[in-house]
Amino acid sequence: MKMIFSADNNWGIGCGNKLLFHAKGDMAYFKKMTTGKVVIMGRKTLESLPNKRPLPNRVNIVLTSDESYATEGAIICHSLEALFETVKIYDRDDLFVIGGAEVYRLLMPYCDAAYITRFFADAPADRFMSDFDALPDWERVSSSDEMHENGVSYRFDMYIQQSPGKCGGKV
């Protein structure tokens, strides 16, 4: 299982259920990485997507404790156990956690890689991730060249976790 998100200098990832930055390069990267894959998200993340609809050309799984929640075009899971059972039929490398902050925190122990767009700016944020550079089990293994768009610089970093937990998915 993998994680993908963007973060500012302070590891802020969102504010008011919206992304902190909108860069075409980052959106294209996200699309390239997740198209044809399985995306796992919380209800609030799904509701923040365009038209509050699942992402096209992906299997969309929503993890929510709201037992009455339903939406067309997505698989709904109400517990980690249900999620792990659901993802067993998919290749582990095709599973991408895409948010929000609570879902990232819940599933981070089960992820073996994180694809992080690092924006070199500070933005008002109300949702944060852990500082991956300070986490002992995570190591940055690659970084792209810096890009510049809309007055902000960013790069794509990849981190790996030394000993992720098991979550199902085909090995």
Side-chain angles (χ1 to χ4, degrees):
M1 185 179 303
K2 320 239 176 272
M3 307 170 75
I4 188 167
F5 62 90
S6 61
D8 75 353
N9 286 330
N10 300 307
W11 294 90
I13 62 169
C15 188
N17 210 28
K18 295 185 182 340
L19 295 173
L20 300 180
F21 302 97
H22 291 279
K24 287 182 183 179
D26 182 39
M27 295 295 136
Y29 179 72
F30 176 86
K31 185 176 182 179
K32 178 183 102 172
M33 296 297 290
T34 63
T35 296
K37 309 291 185 186
V38 178
V39 292
I40 301 165
M41 69 194 93
R43 176 191 53 80
K44 291 178 192 172
T45 297
L46 175 69
E47 292 175 354
S48 75
L49 297 175
N51 301 315
K52 299 182 180 186
R53 304 285 305 146
L55 294 169
N57 305 313
R58 299 159 185 92
V59 174
N60 289 255
I61 299 176
V62 177
L63 182 59
T64 179
S65 59
D66 182 347
E67 294 284 339
S68 65
Y69 187 76
T71 189
E72 191 176 314
I75 299 166
I76 309 300
C77 294
H78 298 291
S79 67
L80 271 184
E81 295 76 22
L83 174 68
F84 293 160
E85 187 62 32
T86 299
V87 301
K88 279 184 180 179
I89 64 171
Y90 303 105
D91 188 308
R92 267 183 73 88
D93 288 335
D94 288 344
L95 305 175
F96 278 85
V97 180
I98 67 167
E102 291 176 46
V103 174
Y104 285 130
R105 269 189 274 292
L106 189 63
L107 295 177
M108 188 164 74
Y110 306 99
C111 292
D112 55 12
Y115 297 91
I116 305 171
T117 304
R118 290 304 309 276
F119 283 92
F120 300 109
D122 296 327
D126 59 12
R127 296 291 179 263
F128 294 86
M129 284 298 293
S130 299
D131 176 346
F132 272 64
D133 293 318
L135 295 174
D137 290 345
W138 288 87
E139 177 187 358
R140 183 168 26 128
V141 294
S142 68
S143 294
S144 71
D145 291 334
E146 266 189 43
M147 290 155 272
H148 310 280
E149 192 176 336
N150 300 329
V152 68
S153 298
Y154 63 94
R155 74 172 183 232
F156 303 123
D157 290 340
M158 180 185 172
Y159 290 76
I160 58 168
Q161 181 170 205
Q162 302 306 314
S163 349
K166 300 266 189 260
C167 71
K170 293 189 287 186
V171 178

